[in-house]
Amino acid sequence: MKKNYLIEFIYFLYILLFLYAGGIKLWDYNRFVGELGKSPLITRYSEWLAWFVPSLEIAIVILLMIPRYRLRAMQAATGLMILFTLYIAVMLSLYEELPCACGGVISGLQWQGHLLFNLMFVILGCACIWLCINYSRGHSNFANPSRTYES
């Protein structure tokens, strides 16, 4: 029973994070695309990324709310967080002047803090995936490990 609550809590955290992050990026689109344009690694893709990333985040949120797609959506969300984390790590190791394309509360973090924040979500996502797959093995509702945890 505690696993159920933990799984639901992690799904909830990811839904909040991606809904907030995607919404802020779309809400303040001009600032977001401007900051992306300052990044030495992704300048040429800033216009495309400014629409793609928040759209992907919102799509993942929708899929996280549909029980049939939850595990796959969590895998996608965790993969996206791994990409974001790798991007931050590369930026920290290569550049001294770092533009921040983050919005809202998260923009108040320093890059090192943002890296730790992302790592925490990567760990939570991996834990959720592991719990869902292992929880499914022991319950009749989860005869197929490719299906996700359902309430």
Side-chain angles (χ1 to χ4, degrees), residues 32-66:
F32 180 55
V33 75
E35 291 298 320
L36 286 178
K38 294 176 188 175
S39 173
L41 294 178
I42 58 175
T43 299
R44 73 166 38 156
Y45 307 108
S46 62
E47 296 269 335
W48 181 79
L49 285 171
W51 283 109
F52 179 74
V53 170
S55 298
L56 182 59
E57 289 170 334
I58 301 298
I60 288 172
V61 165
I62 293 166
L63 293 173
L64 283 170
M65 293 190 282
I66 302 171

Side-chain angles (χ1 to χ4, degrees), residues 9 13 32 47 67 70 74 96 107 116-117 119 122 133 139 141 150-151:
F9 183 67
L13 288 176
F32 180 55
E47 296 269 335
R70 286 182 117 184
M74 181 55 71
E96 290 186 27
S107 65
L116 291 175
F117 179 87
L119 283 171
V122 168
I133 291 170
H139 292 75
N141 293 5
E150 296 176 7
S151 301

Side-chain angles (χ1 to χ4, degrees), residues 10 14 78 116-129:
I10 296 170
Y14 260 90
T78 304
L116 291 175
F117 179 87
N118 283 18
L119 283 171
M120 180 189 73
F121 268 89
V122 168
I123 291 167
L124 285 173
C126 289
C128 185
I129 293 164

Side-chain angles (χ1 to χ4, degrees), residues 87-112:
Y87 170 76
I88 292 170
V90 168
M91 291 293 288
L92 282 169
S93 66
L94 295 178
Y95 303 102
E96 290 186 27
E97 290 292 319
L98 301 172
C100 183
C102 312
V105 176
I106 297 171
S107 65
L109 293 175
Q110 298 293 325
W111 277 78
Q112 292 82 357

Side-chain angles (χ1 to χ4, degrees), residues 11 14 60 64 69-82 125-126 128-130 132-133 145-146:
Y11 278 127
Y14 260 90
I60 288 172
L64 283 170
Y69 302 112
R70 286 182 117 184
L71 179 58
R72 296 286 183 224
M74 181 55 71
Q75 291 167 335
T78 304
L80 191 56
M81 287 304 295
I82 289 169
C126 289
C128 185
I129 293 164
W130 184 85
C132 286
I133 291 170
S146 66

